[in-house]
Amino acid sequence: MIYAKVAGTGSALPKRVVSNEELAQTVDTSDEWIKQRTGIAQRYIAGEGETTSSLAVDAAKQAIDTAGLNASDIDLIIVATTTPDLVFPSTATIVQNELGCFGGPAFDVQAVCAGFVYAFATAEKFVKTGAAKNALVIGAETFTRILNWEDRTTCVLFGDGAGAVVLSASDEPGVLTTRLYADGRQKENLWVPSGVSTNYQAMQDGAAFVQMNGQEVFKFAVKALAQVVDDALEEAGMTAAEIDWLVPHQANIRIIQSTAKKLKMSMDNVVVTVDQHGNTSAASIPLALDTAVRDGRIQRGQTVLIEGIGGGFAWGGAIFRF
Ligand code: ACO
């Protein structure tokens, strides 16, 4: 049996850090409000020359390096992003060009904040079926470029960054289960209501911004993520007590706490980066994973549950042995 194993991780952040206090100089908000409602203290914002693909490439190089591989060993690239460099070609092919590993498939996955889980689950199928040996899975965003900086209900929540993993074929586990879901009826609770074939003028005018019904997102997220946890554990034939680490999508500390409670897990075993990074959408899970691998919290042989939800709504999770 072939398993997909996380062979290496990496991450990258833009240079500029923006604290809540700095944001409060231009937006009608406060450090206290943001921290209390979301847990966010600061976020990184991409500047000129920093793009989704440049952050993705930096994260990818680290992941390939820590996997002990060369770029030429990579035979599949999937980039999860809501904020691609271009309409086309895909950010994955731009990353492939920068890495110089040509020929294998490279494509983007769009599931907003659930994008990394979707990309991870997709890459796992390639590896498990023998269609790829070393898959590079990246979550990368310059999400702050689709924020309306005059809308305090959204602009305080998000940040930019990238995280990456290499999933390699292995005869030992490995990814134990992946679960994906979507409910397209929820479109207008969290969306950018313009794109290439609808309301394109807003894109051209630089007015294609995130809109969100925060309370509906919150309620749905708590319920949906509880379902992910139940289903993933059942499918893996595991109990919550067997999970060493929860690495959740980093949207809001209160959503994270409710999933930890569902797992009866101490917050000491939950990787939290939302305070430092804000919500980096598809990048948040691999960024958090890499943070905890690098600082030595997550050790080889331990069991990790990742989960996330985003616009659509789309949501999902995975359990893997690191
Ligand atoms: N600063 C100060 N005041 C604010 C701000 C702000 N940035 N934003 C809203 N307010 C005000 C509102 O205007 C409102 O004022 P009012 O009572 O005078 O009308 C008050 O704060 C309360 O607003 P609510 O929307 O009720 O605040 P709530 O407690 O629901 O918190 C939040 C809002 C943080 C967005 C919350 O609903 C939430 O976290 N939802 C989940 C959304 C999320 O995480 N989205 C990320 C993308 S999806 C994902 O990744 C899962």
Side-chain angles (χ1 to χ4, degrees):
M1 169 134 180
I2 307 174
Y3 290 96
K5 202 166 174 69
V6 175
T9 66
S11 61
L13 290 161
K15 287 186 201 71
R16 183 168 169 235
V17 186
V18 176
S19 66
N20 291 344
E21 287 89 352
E22 186 182 341
L23 208 54
Q25 288 168 18
T26 51
V27 179
D28 180 15
T29 190
S30 66
D31 177 49
E32 192 195 354
W33 192 97
I34 301 172
K35 273 198 189 132
Q36 194 196 25
R37 306 280 175 138
T38 71
I40 298 166
Q42 61 171 43
R43 74 285 295 139
Y44 290 78
I45 297 184
E48 213 178 324
E50 290 175 316
T51 61
T52 295
S53 70
S54 73
L55 294 165
V57 166
D58 288 348
K61 284 181 177 165
Q62 280 182 15
I64 293 167
D65 199 39
T66 56
L69 297 172
N70 296 311
S72 56
D73 298 315
I74 299 298
D75 52 6
L76 167 67
I77 300 175
I78 307 181
V79 176
T81 187
T82 316
T83 48
D85 283 21
L86 304 169
V87 172
F88 73 85
S90 68
T91 304
T93 57
I94 297 170
V95 169
Q96 191 212 49
N97 187 35
E98 288 297 317
L99 293 176
C101 49
F102 307 109
F107 59 91
D108 289 0
V109 161
Q110 159 61 304
V112 205
C113 301
F116 182 76
V117 176
Y118 267 65
F120 187 88
T122 306
E124 190 241 355
K125 308 296 176 269
F126 274 80
V127 174
K128 213 161 78 175
T129 57
K133 278 201 166 56
N134 296 299
L136 179 61
V137 188
I138 305 170
E141 300 279 15
T142 44
F143 211 86
T144 63
R145 299 213 168 117
I146 51 168
L147 296 178
N148 175 358
W149 293 99
E150 288 172 6
D151 176 8
R152 67 177 181 173
T153 67
T154 53
C155 74
V156 303
L157 302 175
F158 296 94
D160 302 326
V165 303
V166 174
L167 275 182
S168 293
S170 168
D171 49 16
E172 48 178 61
V175 180
L176 302 170
T177 186
T178 63
R179 300 282 311 187
L180 301 177
Y181 315 76
D183 181 349
R185 290 169 298 186
Q186 307 293 330
K187 178 175 84 176
E188 291 173 21
N189 278 323
L190 178 56
W191 64 331
V192 176
S194 44
V196 176
S197 74
T198 308
N199 197 14
Y200 188 51
Q201 194 60 44
M203 301 264 286
Q204 288 177 309
D205 295 345
F209 298 133
V210 174
Q211 294 180 15
M212 179 180 72
N213 181 343
Q215 292 190 356
E216 285 308 312
V217 175
F218 192 97
K219 279 189 277 182
F220 195 96
V222 167
K223 261 197 274 168
L225 295 174
Q227 178 198 8
V228 170
V229 167
D230 280 342
D231 291 356
L233 286 173
E234 190 186 330
E235 197 168 284
M238 299 178 80
T239 64
E242 292 173 89
I243 303 294
D244 296 302
W245 292 100
L246 173 64
V247 184
H249 169 50
Q250 309 282 323
N252 182 310
I253 190 68
R254 293 182 295 147
I255 297 175
I256 294 172
Q257 284 162 343
S258 83
T259 311
K261 199 167 156 202
K262 166 87 190 157
L263 281 163
K264 297 194 178 61
M265 186 178 255
S266 154
M267 284 304 285
D268 292 344
N269 294 87
V270 181
V271 180
V272 175
T273 53
V274 68
D275 55 333
Q276 298 300 301
H277 302 158
N279 181 348
T280 57
S281 186
S284 92
I285 294 173
L287 253 170
L289 178 66
D290 184 56
T291 301
V293 168
R294 263 165 217 279
D295 69 22
R297 274 178 288 170
I298 297 181
Q299 298 281 328
R300 285 281 166 205
Q302 291 187 319
T303 303
V304 180
L305 192 159
I306 60 174
E307 45 81 350
I309 180 164
F313 293 140
W315 66 102
I319 298 175
F320 63 89
R321 193 152 304 141
F322 181 60

